[in-house]
């Protein structure tokens, strides 16, 4: 993780979304709305969503929205993949969301503002609660969070622990994604790894990338 991106988180998130695809939908048919601050998780979510041809939206206050440089880069990717991007503080963007995702509003590493100042910016409009999920008009909407969560702040207990939540699947998948990355990167250089094993992992990766909608600007 850096201040700008969180790639292992993104891989785990994408795996989780694929596991919980709405009935009859493909990835490119899905809409994911990131609620709140434009954290590195939000930006990474935007990048994987547009690469896969999805509809990405950030629902957050002006001043805490996706940086212009990242947005322009993502829009260029979207032109190739067929994805759509919306950055707004209008709650109507929640309509039709398949996945609602959020992150903490502040962290221990954050020295710019104090907790109370962040609460004034985001609470209560951007708290993910039952009322917000209802505004999607999607009874099957799924809730995601990168964890750990600020209970009663960016998300309520009823959502975090409720039937729409897939946060624990996401946490497990992130760990699996990180292991997969290490396995792929290290196995070809390990003395116990045969060329056949290295070729197997390379073949699986090549096959996966062949189905990725976005090819340019790698």
């Amino acid at each position: 993780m850096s201040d700008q991106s969180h790639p292992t988180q993104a891989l785990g998130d994408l795996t989780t979304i694929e596991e919980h695809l709405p009935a009859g939908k493909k990835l490119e048919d899905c809409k994911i709305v990131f609620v709140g601050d434009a954290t590195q998780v939000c930006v990474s979510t935007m990048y994987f969503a547009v690469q896969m041809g999805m509809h990405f939206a950030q629902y957050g206050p002006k001043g805490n929205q996706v940086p212009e440089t990242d947005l322009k880069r993502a829009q260029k990717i979207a032109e190739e993949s067929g994805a759509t991007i919306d950055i707004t503080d209008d709650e109507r963007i929640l309509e039709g969301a398949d996945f609602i995702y959020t992150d903490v509003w502040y962290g221990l590493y954050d020295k710019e503002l104090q907790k109370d100042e962040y609460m004034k910016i985001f609470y209560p409009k951007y708290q993910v609660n039952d009322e917000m999920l209802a505004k999607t008009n999607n009874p099957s909407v799924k809730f995601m969070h990168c964890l750990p969560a600020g209970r009663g702040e960016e998300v309520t207990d009823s959502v975090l622990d409720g039937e729409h939540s897939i946060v624990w699947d996401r946490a497990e998948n992130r760990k699996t994604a990180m292991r997969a990355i290490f396995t792929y990167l290290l196995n070809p250089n390990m003395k116990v790894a045969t060329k056949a094993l290295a070729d197997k992992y390379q073949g699986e990766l090549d096959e996966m990338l062949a189905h990725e909608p976005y090819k340019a600007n790698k």
Side-chain angles (χ1 to χ4, degrees), residues 58-128:
Q58 185 204 357
Y59 171 48
K62 294 178 180 179
N64 294 83
Q65 295 177 346
V66 172
E68 189 66 23
T69 52
D70 287 299
L71 181 57
K72 287 182 178 179
R73 185 180 177 206
Q75 288 171 333
K76 186 175 181 180
I77 297 172
E79 291 174 2
E80 299 287 339
S81 69
T84 54
I85 305 172
D86 287 297
I87 309 296
T88 181
D89 58 0
D90 188 339
E91 68 175 16
R92 288 178 293 181
I93 197 64
L94 298 166
E95 176 79 28
D98 297 292
F99 298 90
I100 296 291
Y101 197 168
T102 197
D103 193 358
V104 294
W105 294 332
Y106 60 92
L108 295 176
Y109 55 85
D110 197 328
K111 297 180 174 59
E112 295 180 5
L113 295 175
Q114 297 299 313
K115 173 182 175 179
D116 290 346
E117 295 175 283
Y118 270 94
M119 291 295 286
K120 290 178 182 178
I121 295 171
F122 295 103
Y123 183 84
K125 181 176 180 178
Y126 299 103
Q127 182 187 72
V128 182

